[in-house]
Amino acid sequence: MGVITSESEHISPVSAARLYKAIVLDASNVFPKALPNFIKSAETLEGDGGPGTIKKLTLAEGLGYVKHHVDAIDTENFVYNYSVIEGSALTEPLEKICYEYKLVPTPEGGCIVKSASNTTPKGMNSLQKNT
């Protein structure tokens, strides 16, 4: 089994700047309020929010938690990349899940939310990934 890639696009009536601020820069405050039945809390464990930062989402009872590592953040171009490094989303046989979000402004004032994920099973080395 190789790396599994998934991509999607969604149209939002919310501007790229406002949505990026909510889901990336203010996520610790917004997510528990916007999704109270799914996310119990969100916190930064290490770092200042930039690359290298470790964040933790504590999910609703019985769902566990997810820790992720911020890989890249580009506030000018509304890009956010992170990798799930620990928690209930990282079950056997998964080694890691990497996400990239890019918000593209539209002429109407909203944005297109482009997302991509790469799921890597355990035991894959870099040579296998490139074939």
Side-chain angles (χ1 to χ4, degrees):
M1 182 164 94
V3 174
I4 300 167
T5 300
S6 175
E7 296 179 348
S8 67
E9 289 188 7
H10 302 280
I11 298 172
S12 172
V14 179
S15 73
R18 185 174 180 195
L19 188 58
Y20 190 83
K21 183 177 187 298
I23 65 174
V24 175
L25 304 177
D26 292 337
S28 294
N29 295 318
V30 173
F31 282 174
K33 291 175 184 173
L35 303 165
N37 294 327
F38 183 63
I39 298 176
K40 187 175 179 182
S41 65
E43 60 186 310
T44 299
L45 300 177
E46 295 176 25
D48 61 2
T53 295
I54 305 294
K55 296 184 178 187
K56 179 181 179 183
L57 294 177
T58 302
L59 307 176
E61 191 169 327
L63 297 178
Y65 71 95
V66 176
K67 278 188 188 176
H68 71 263
H69 175 270
V70 176
D71 299 320
I73 186 167
D74 181 346
T75 56
E76 290 181 19
N77 294 302
F78 310 116
V79 175
Y80 183 62
N81 296 1
Y82 68 94
S83 298
V84 174
I85 57 170
E86 185 180 308
S88 51
L90 212 52
T91 59
E92 288 292 332
L94 302 180
E95 182 175 315
K96 70 177 179 178
I97 307 169
C98 300
Y99 294 95
E100 177 178 304
Y101 289 93
K102 181 172 183 166
L103 309 182
V104 180
T106 62
E108 300 79 23
C111 67
I112 300 170
V113 180
K114 296 183 177 188
S115 63
S117 67
N118 290 308
T119 304
T120 305
K122 287 184 179 176
M124 281 201 63
N125 61 41
S126 60
L127 181 62
Q128 288 174 306
K129 291 180 194 175
N130 293 326
T131 59

